[in-house]
Amino acid sequence: MIKAVLFDLDGTLIDTAADFVRIIQAMCREQNRPVVDAAAIRSQVSEGGRAMVKLVFPELDVDDPILWQHRQDFLDRYGADIAVDTTLFAGMDTLLQQLEQRAIPWGIVTNKPRWLSEALLQALALTERCQVLVCPEDVQHTKPDPEPMFLAAKQLDIAAKDIIYIGDHPRDIDAGKAANMPTVLAAYGYLPPDRAADLVSWQADYIVEDVEALTQLILSQID
């Protein structure tokens, strides 16, 4: 039986794409660049800020210092005006309430920087509800390495095998499996385009198409 639930952040627990679309498209207009389609931006959210900024400047190499400058500009804009259009995915608050009513702790393991993760949780009134938050600053090796998963389990004082992990990127599934956690692929999230066609190949224990299906799955594992 599952004793705790861990989520990836963007694209799994929280729908942040609209804010990224707003910022990236504003950067396009300011730079007199073609405005990137919202769907293209959404598909790159789980790849991080650098991948989204590269949509604006496709000619720049990923290691180009100029691209990194634009990435910092993107992060500064995001941090200064966070959660304008960001929400929990539809039905997610109900799932969290169900967990809380059953005294099942839930938390987050993310590759998002802590200052941004904490700002998001505060903006959405989730800070006090979230029982554990593991970010890149907390570990030497981020996902897909299992180190963040083991740290979250240690902080919860629950064996990793008794914690289910939900994510929308192959690194989420790889990290969970490496930690011997049951894994759930959130197919409603920001799936990488090159991996979206064959979700079975990710080898997650479960695949869910929406939060309703996720809720049914989790409750079946704890009731």
Side-chain angles (χ1 to χ4, degrees):
M1 300 298 289
I2 296 303
K3 297 179 181 178
V5 179
L6 293 175
F7 299 90
D8 177 44
L9 191 55
D10 298 77
T12 301
L13 180 69
I14 298 176
D15 190 358
T16 51
D19 278 319
F20 296 131
V21 170
R22 171 177 55 83
I23 295 168
I24 290 295
Q25 291 186 341
M27 292 176 69
C28 290
R29 288 188 286 269
E30 292 169 13
Q31 295 289 331
N32 294 315
R33 299 273 179 144
V35 176
V36 180
D37 181 72
I41 299 170
R42 181 185 176 91
S43 72
Q44 293 298 314
V45 170
S46 290
E47 302 297 335
R50 182 171 54 177
M52 286 185 278
V53 170
K54 200 172 188 312
L55 294 173
V56 186
F57 306 97
E59 75 280 5
L60 296 179
D61 186 80
V62 293
D63 295 320
D64 192 314
I66 296 176
L67 183 68
W68 281 92
Q69 292 175 14
H70 288 302
R71 174 184 177 272
Q72 188 59 53
D73 176 40
F74 165 79
L75 292 176
D76 290 343
R77 293 173 186 235
Y78 181 52
D81 207 12
I82 204 165
V84 173
D85 299 306
T86 289
T87 62
L88 286 167
F89 278 100
M92 187 62 73
D93 190 57
T94 298
L95 170 56
L96 298 182
Q97 291 181 37
Q98 296 270 17
L99 294 174
E100 291 159 358
Q101 289 169 8
R102 291 164 171 78
I104 300 293
W106 64 268
I108 297 164
V109 177
T110 178
N111 281 0
K112 196 183 195 78
R114 176 167 285 277
W115 70 281
L116 290 174
S117 299
E118 290 180 344
L120 271 176
L121 294 184
Q122 183 175 2
L124 297 175
L126 295 174
T127 303
E128 300 302 323
R129 300 172 67 184
C130 178
Q131 297 298 298
V132 62
L133 172 64
V134 175
C135 299
E137 298 90 334
D138 304 317
V139 293
Q140 290 187 332
H141 305 287
T142 60
K143 297 180 296 183
D145 192 277
E147 182 184 354
M149 322 306 286
F150 287 128
L151 177 58
K154 180 180 179 180
Q155 292 182 356
L156 290 170
D157 195 24
I158 297 174
K161 66 180 180 61
D162 297 325
I163 303 173
I164 196 167
Y165 186 65
I166 306 104
D168 68 324
H169 194 280
R171 64 171 169 260
D172 299 324
I173 306 305
D174 290 345
K177 291 177 70 68
N180 199 31
M181 292 180 178
T183 56
V184 182
L185 194 172
Y188 57 83
Y190 310 143
L191 307 183
D194 61 334
R195 302 293 296 273
D198 185 12
L199 300 183
V200 174
S201 69
W202 298 25
Q203 298 185 343
D205 295 298
Y206 307 96
I207 300 174
V208 295
E209 296 293 334
D210 51 38
V211 178
E212 180 180 358
L214 176 62
T215 300
Q216 293 175 357
L217 171 64
I218 291 177
L219 294 184
S220 73
Q221 300 291 316
I222 62 178
D223 286 340

